[in-house]
Amino acid sequence: MVVANSTVDYAELKARNPLGDAVEAAGVVLHGKGRVRQGVCPFHQEQEGSFTVYANTEKFWCFGCGAGGDVLDFVGRMEGLTLPQVIRRLDDGSTPPPAASNRPAPTQRPTAPPIPSRDPALLTEAARFYGGQLRRSRVALEYLASRGIELDAARRLGLGYATGNGLREYLQAAGFTSQRLRDSGLFLERGAERFAGMITVPDLAHGRARWLTGRAIQPNARPRFQALPGSKPVLGLAALGPAPSGVIVAEGVFDWLTLAGWGYPAVAALGTQGMDKVAAALRGCPRIFLAFDNDDAGNTAAQELKGLLGNRAAVVNLPQGVADLGELATLPNGNLIFRRLLAHAANAAR
């Protein structure tokens, strides 16, 4: 932020522009949760996912090409901007075209991939196709059962499974053009399905899918998580209606699936970054419970979000030794334990 004496409050500028949000807005899909997240580097050609974002330091580093820095360095490098232009870009969203002499040569970095437009009709058909594959996959159903997700809940929440085959042909037969398929984000550059080998989870609004994410069922699969590029929603909020009377905020996808499967009005923050955006999305909700992961990153995010929400929010503390809600779901009495924890948090907040 440029002030009267031409100085910049860099700390305040970075606080308003979390690195993870800037990276994902540029089309880089980050995997994992908590302090360390990784994705495919946008600055050199690779397939391994060497690009790493550290939430505790707000820095990035690529173990493949050596690129690193903070959000200022990332935006400047991605968009070919000088430092003053980066400051203006982050401060008010303006991005004046750099002078010809300042434009990076085409060989300096690959162009950032375009962020796909949301196509609810196409995504809804894709979710329906993946739902059919789930019901026919014994391996996928067994995986969900091992995570405490019953078939009835999977159907109600629109879960699916991507074998990696048949989606393109199905969508073409349904009348979707090749351009819409390319723009959807459902296919990688080489034509493979983005969610191959994954449980798919849609963000539903009035029965229509607005966004998709996925989780690999094989423990050694890489990447473990995938999502459509671009901005991420507060998962599950749209399905609760415009003004839910109360909601539980979980951290990750399967944490949310656990709560929704148990019948609670729940949403997922999808990580520990961007709590200001989560708070803004929940501005109309009068009662909010925060059930984040039982680690440093989860505890920090829960306290940050509670500070933004004020007295409307209460933190649900998971039992010692239980990492997250997904692990709690695997216990025989996990639902009963959570109900007691929720009641305790509600009483403590009175």
Side-chain angles (χ1 to χ4, degrees):
M1 179 176 61
V2 181
V3 295
N5 61 359
S6 298
T7 61
V8 178
D9 187 344
Y10 288 103
E12 190 272 343
L13 184 65
K14 294 176 187 179
R16 287 192 288 108
N17 295 273
L19 174 60
D21 288 356
V23 170
E24 291 181 320
V28 179
V29 178
L30 294 176
H31 309 291
K33 58 184 179 179
R35 188 179 67 85
V36 180
R37 304 171 73 196
Q38 290 185 306
V40 175
C41 182
F43 302 129
H44 79 289
Q45 300 297 328
E46 68 155 357
Q47 298 180 2
E48 297 302 318
S50 304
F51 185 86
T52 307
V53 173
Y54 299 93
N56 58 333
T57 62
E58 287 289 304
K59 296 291 184 65
F60 72 91
W61 175 259
C62 178
F63 291 91
C65 68
D70 57 17
V71 67
L72 301 173
D73 300 304
F74 179 83
V75 172
R77 185 160 183 160
M78 281 299 299
E79 301 188 16
L81 304 178
T82 64
L83 180 58
Q85 290 169 336
V86 170
I87 293 169
R88 289 181 59 187
R89 169 75 168 82
L90 295 178
D91 190 39
D92 60 13
S94 63
T95 311
S101 60
N102 290 331
R103 291 184 183 273
T107 57
Q108 283 185 259
R109 62 171 178 83
T111 303
I115 298 174
S117 58
R118 297 293 182 253
D119 191 336
L122 186 148
L123 293 180
T124 300
E125 284 298 324
R128 183 176 293 118
F129 174 77
Y130 286 144
Q133 291 195 327
L134 173 65
R135 291 187 290 275
R136 294 189 294 271
S137 173
R138 179 181 58 83
V139 173
L141 291 173
E142 288 178 349
Y143 174 79
L144 286 178
S146 74
R147 301 297 300 266
I149 309 298
E150 298 180 354
L151 181 57
D152 286 346
R155 288 172 171 166
R156 174 165 50 86
L157 299 171
L159 303 192
Y161 174 63
T163 65
N165 298 305
L167 178 63
R168 184 183 300 275
E169 293 77 11
Y170 174 84
L171 293 176
Q172 288 174 334
F176 295 98
T177 65
S178 297
Q179 185 63 50
R180 288 177 75 175
L181 267 60
R182 284 193 296 271
D183 292 343
S184 69
L186 291 171
F187 301 94
L188 303 176
E189 290 184 4
R190 300 180 302 279
E193 294 180 24
R194 177 178 296 276
F195 299 111
M198 294 185 170
I199 297 293
T200 59
V201 183
D203 187 41
L204 298 174
H206 307 292
R208 289 165 62 84
R210 310 186 311 168
W211 184 77
L212 277 175
T213 186
R215 207 275 191 199
I217 64 174
Q218 297 299 328
N220 59 345
R222 294 294 182 273
R224 293 173 59 205
F225 300 95
Q226 275 279 19
L228 292 182
S231 60
K232 58 185 180 181
V234 176
L235 181 61
L237 184 59
L240 297 181
S245 58
V247 67
I248 305 170
V249 183
E251 184 175 321
V253 173
F254 269 83
D255 303 319
W256 170 72
L257 289 175
T258 293
L259 294 177
W262 285 342
Y264 293 104
V267 300
L270 298 177
T272 57
Q273 300 183 36
M275 292 300 105
D276 55 337
K277 295 182 179 179
V278 177
L282 297 172
R283 59 184 176 272
C285 186
R287 200 73 181 106
I288 303 164
F289 294 93
L290 311 178
F292 280 61
D293 291 0
N294 201 4
D295 56 20
D296 290 342
N299 294 333
T300 299
Q303 291 302 323
E304 178 187 354
L305 186 53
K306 185 179 186 304
L308 293 169
L309 295 170
N311 293 332
R312 294 183 294 147
V315 175
V316 179
N317 295 306
L318 297 181
Q320 186 175 2
V322 176
D324 53 32
L325 288 166
E327 183 175 328
L328 186 63
T330 64
L331 302 180
N333 56 346
N335 191 353
L336 177 59
I337 293 173
F338 183 78
R339 193 181 311 145
R340 291 172 177 170
L341 295 172
L342 189 64
H344 178 76
N347 291 332
R350 289 176 181 173

